[in-house]
Amino acid sequence: MSKWIVVLVSVLAAGCAADSALRDGRKLIEQGRMEEGIRRLEQDVKANPNDEKLRVYYERNRDRYVNQLLYEGEKARLLGRGDEALAAFRRALEVAPGNARAQAGLEATQAGQRQQNEVRQAQALFDDGKPVQALDKLRAVL
């Protein structure tokens, strides 16, 4: 009988710990501390791999936050705000390493910034009275 009591107490303690972890992560997310809340939930999922409710809550909120960052990054990129776009895509990759959309957004933004830099250099060459070099620079970009 005492064996069963020990097992029951262990199961209840594990359940309470998982519920506490879910509450803590949820509280951080509700406070707008998304990255901190997601990191907390990720740790808790690793510590409680059999807690389906915790895992689903973590994945849903992680995915929602990553999608928000991807939207912000793409919007900034399209508006020509490369630094903001890079920051959003990098944050998405921190939360979801290997995310293909975040990686593609990061690479597209970097390529766009390189292209803008080349165009500025071509404009400077043209302004300095070097139209042939400016045209060569533009041809390389296009």
Side-chain angles (χ1 to χ4, degrees):
M1 170 124 161
S2 65
K3 258 193 224 180
W4 290 109
I5 292 174
V6 170
V7 170
L8 181 61
V9 169
S10 296
V11 168
L12 289 174
C16 290
D19 286 344
S20 174
L22 180 59
R23 266 194 315 276
D24 293 346
R26 181 177 283 155
K27 184 177 180 182
L28 290 167
I29 287 170
E30 288 171 356
Q31 292 172 347
R33 297 160 57 188
M34 291 297 293
E35 290 179 39
E36 190 177 345
I38 290 168
R39 278 193 304 272
R40 173 63 192 267
L41 289 169
E42 181 179 25
Q43 293 169 353
D44 295 337
V45 166
K46 288 177 183 175
N48 302 287
N50 296 325
D51 189 329
E52 185 74 14
K53 183 178 176 183
L54 179 62
R55 185 185 57 75
V56 168
Y57 185 79
Y58 158 69
E59 289 174 355
R60 184 177 59 231
N61 281 281
R62 180 202 58 204
D63 293 348
R64 185 176 58 185
Y65 184 57
V66 168
N67 285 332
Q68 176 187 339
L69 291 171
L70 293 172
Y71 170 79
E72 290 172 7
E74 192 59 28
K75 179 180 171 185
R77 187 179 72 80
L78 293 173
L79 292 173
R81 298 192 305 243
D83 291 340
E84 287 178 37
L86 289 174
F89 291 129
R90 285 181 179 133
R91 284 175 48 209
L93 285 169
E94 287 175 14
V95 174
N99 182 287
R101 287 180 54 204
Q103 188 63 44
L106 184 69
E107 291 170 6
T109 303
Q110 291 169 332
Q113 286 184 324
R114 283 191 300 274
Q115 189 175 35
Q116 287 175 345
N117 188 40
E118 294 290 323
V119 170
R120 279 192 293 273
Q121 290 176 10
Q123 182 65 51
L125 286 168
F126 184 80
D127 292 345
D128 287 343
K130 301 175 183 174
V132 174
Q133 290 96 331
L135 187 57
D136 289 342
K137 178 75 80 176
L138 286 176
R139 282 190 183 127
V141 171
L142 302 173

